[in-house]
Amino acid sequence: MSTDGKVERRTLLRLALAVPAAGALASCAKPASKAAPAAQAGSKVDGAKALEFFNFDGGYGKAWTQLPLDLYRQEFPKADVKLTSGQKLQQQLQPRFIQGDPPDLIENVGLDAAALASQKQLMDIGALLDMDAYDQPGLKVKDTLLPGVAEAGRYDGVKYEMPYVFGVAGIWYSQPLMDKHGWTYPKHWDEMLALCAEIKKAGIAPWTYQGKFPGYLTSPMLMTAYKAAGPDLKKKIDNLEPNAWRDPALIAAAEGYQELASKGYLLEGSQALSHTQSQTYWAQSKAVFIPCGGWLENELGAIAPKDLGMTMVPVPGLSSADKAPFETVTGGPGGALIVPAQAKNPQGGIELLRIITSKKCMRNFTELTKSLSVVKGASDGVALSSANKSMQKVIDEAGTNIFLDWSFRLWYKKLLDNSDKAMAALMNREVTPDEWSKRMQKFADETAKDPSIKKFHA
């Protein structure tokens, strides 16, 4: 990983996805009474202790968890090993953090990891990297990981999260549908709007999106603005700089995306659709474009026709005057496995992490979820779908023009939640693009001035 946060071209293996789906949730557990312990490399696991793994049953499902849990059971046959699952982590796990009874390992989609880390609720798992790899003799865990993975998931330099997927996010379409109508995917937004007009005349909705989770659309809109303004925009936004959200590129991007609604280019009712509803309609070719990460194929499952020809492409830029190339995307290591500091069996959680990051388990993950993992060579020989091939192409063509995500989305949960509300208001045409910009700046200023929120800097 380069020092500016970009991932070097050769560090990016093929295909896969980026970060999990669904609406993010906050967590406000009470602070732990003492500092979170650091995992000890080679620490003995009490094989008689029970172990609970909480799985986010979302885009990747839970079938992939069976193999690592079975391997743990084989290693510790006396342990009562339990898998729990859900999608509403705040409601399900916040009470357990408060009561000091969290699971031993959590696939985190929704809990505020930055807040949990600052409250000493998470275990420092950095020592995991120096443990022996589970199924690659002579190698440490860190030796088996793709570049950038060991560095990801750190707050103030401390590693609290272990990514497990490796991929990219963008816009999806059906290649056979595009070919049938002779449509070409555009690189800039004015071309996108022109194509949308043509698609609408053909009787198909140009776009849909996961309206109940408007962050799905915020991501591409921010990327369009990034391409117009260049990398400094991201740094200003992430560092909560004054007037960062008032940048003309952001307002122009907001104007462009709101036009999808004002010109009737959205599938009717998209603003009220869940992720599964909108994705299903898209797979049925009721809309041509949908934003999503690499988990889309797995989440659709059998809903997707075999000849759908799922294809991912980068988000369009704003114009030919853009400062960043069209090929720029967000991607790299994603997902987050965390070990709560107050778990009853944290060493068991660490051991399960070591098993999950084995080559055998990560290959199993790729086969079941059609997504690339963070372990070198784990997908070698696995047959790639059209979706995965297109993601690999996106990553290859991005070169060094790829970054993990907008950091404010990870660091400041309240600001992230407010950005979802502002995006919903924008797409419902309750606010103008300029009012959206002012609203976001207000939220960012409130975050910057709030002494109770720990600040990070890009």
Side-chain angles (χ1 to χ4, degrees):
M1 174 110 24
S2 62
T3 55
D4 62 357
K6 294 179 179 178
V7 180
E8 301 296 343
R9 179 187 178 90
R10 289 187 180 279
T11 71
L12 291 166
L13 288 214
R14 4 204 102 61
L15 56 117
L17 34 101
V19 227
L25 300 166
S27 174
C28 297
K30 69 178 182 179
S33 58
K34 57 184 180 180
Q40 297 299 311
S43 292
K44 185 175 176 60
V45 177
D46 184 345
K49 276 191 173 182
L51 180 85
E52 179 186 359
F53 176 25
F54 188 96
N55 149 261
F56 174 74
D57 192 10
Y60 305 130
K62 55 187 174 186
W64 69 272
T65 66
Q66 189 63 50
L67 177 59
L69 289 172
D70 284 347
L71 292 175
Y72 188 93
R73 291 186 180 100
Q74 290 175 20
E75 187 175 357
F76 304 107
K78 294 182 180 179
D80 179 13
V81 180
K82 181 170 66 174
L83 175 70
T84 49
S85 297
Q87 294 190 349
K88 298 181 178 179
L89 271 67
Q90 183 183 16
Q91 292 92 326
Q92 292 176 275
L93 297 184
Q94 182 174 323
R96 297 186 58 182
F97 272 93
I98 293 174
Q99 294 164 11
D101 181 36
D104 303 300
L105 182 65
I106 298 172
E107 183 186 4
N108 182 27
V109 178
L111 294 176
D112 187 343
L116 289 173
S118 68
Q119 294 168 1
K120 308 298 183 185
Q121 288 281 347
L122 299 184
M123 194 167 185
D124 173 0
I125 60 171
L128 168 69
L129 302 173
D130 290 315
M131 292 181 180
D132 293 336
Y134 183 78
D135 59 356
Q136 298 191 66
L139 296 180
K140 301 295 184 184
V141 170
K142 63 184 178 185
D143 301 324
T144 70
L145 303 175
L146 292 172
V149 178
E151 293 77 15
R154 294 177 182 268
Y155 295 87
D156 285 339
V158 180
K159 188 166 183 63
Y160 291 113
E161 300 173 338
M162 173 56 77
Y164 52 97
V165 294
F166 201 92
V168 66
I171 306 298
W172 290 92
Y173 61 70
S174 163
Q175 188 63 59
L177 181 63
M178 295 285 281
D179 292 343
K180 176 183 176 181
H181 293 275
W183 295 327
T184 301
Y185 185 75
K187 291 188 175 181
H188 303 121
W189 199 256
D190 55 346
E191 298 165 351
M192 170 58 78
L193 293 178
L195 177 58
C196 286
E198 189 176 342
I199 292 171
K200 187 177 179 181
K201 286 180 183 176
I204 306 173
W207 278 68
T208 188
Y209 74 106
Q210 304 80 346
K212 287 187 176 178
F213 305 107
Y216 277 87
L217 199 58
T218 306
S219 293
M221 189 178 79
L222 290 178
M223 178 56 82
T224 296
Y226 176 98
K227 292 178 181 180
D232 283 349
L233 176 65
K234 179 179 183 300
K235 187 171 291 186
K236 292 176 182 176
I237 292 290
D238 288 340
N239 287 340
L240 304 174
E241 290 190 12
N243 295 317
W245 287 93
R246 299 292 293 148
D247 192 289
L250 278 170
I251 298 173
E255 289 172 347
Y257 279 71
Q258 193 181 54
E259 283 189 86
L260 295 178
S262 64
K263 293 186 174 179
Y265 295 157
L266 289 176
L267 180 67
E268 186 175 355
S270 287
Q271 291 92 329
L273 296 178
S274 70
H275 58 298
T276 53
Q277 290 170 324
S278 60
Q279 292 163 188
T280 297
Y281 291 145
W282 172 80
Q284 294 170 344
S285 295
K286 293 180 179 177
V288 176
F289 302 117
I290 189 169
C292 199
W295 58 85
L296 179 59
E297 183 179 23
N298 187 62
E299 197 160 56
L300 283 171
I303 293 173
K306 292 183 179 178
D307 60 352
L308 183 58
M310 292 181 61
T311 302
M312 177 188 277
V313 284
V315 172
L318 193 61
S319 72
S320 58
D322 286 352
K323 295 180 179 177
F326 163 74
E327 290 78 11
T328 305
V329 292
T330 54
L337 294 164
I338 56 175
V339 178
Q342 297 190 69
K344 290 184 172 59
N345 188 10
Q347 291 300 338
I350 294 288
E351 177 62 10
L352 183 57
L353 257 182
R354 191 173 74 96
I355 295 172
I356 286 174
T357 53
S358 68
K359 197 170 185 177
K360 182 177 184 179
C361 287
M362 288 287 86
R363 179 182 177 85
N364 173 68
F365 176 87
T366 296
E367 291 173 338
L368 292 176
T369 67
K370 302 176 177 61
S371 305
L372 189 68
S373 76
V374 296
V375 170
K376 297 173 185 174
S379 64
D380 289 353
V382 177
L384 302 181
S385 65
S386 67
N388 279 333
K389 289 177 181 175
S390 71
M391 287 189 284
Q392 179 179 347
K393 183 172 184 286
V394 167
I395 291 173
D396 288 344
E397 293 181 352
T400 60
N401 295 300
I402 185 170
F403 58 88
L404 289 176
D405 198 1
W406 295 72
S407 299
F408 84 88
R409 294 162 61 90
L410 303 175
W411 294 342
Y412 308 118
K413 185 65 179 63
K414 185 176 180 180
L415 180 57
L416 173 63
D417 291 344
N418 283 329
S419 75
D420 286 347
K421 295 173 184 174
M423 189 69 199
L426 179 72
M427 297 309 292
N428 285 322
R429 290 184 285 167
E430 296 166 357
V431 297
T432 66
D434 188 64
E435 289 169 340
W436 167 84
S437 165
K438 291 178 179 176
R439 186 173 290 191
M440 284 306 305
Q441 188 57 54
K442 175 177 176 290
F443 293 144
D445 291 342
E446 290 173 351
T447 301
K449 294 175 182 176
D450 188 340
S452 70
I453 300 176
K454 180 176 174 56
K455 307 301 188 301
F456 300 91
H457 292 279

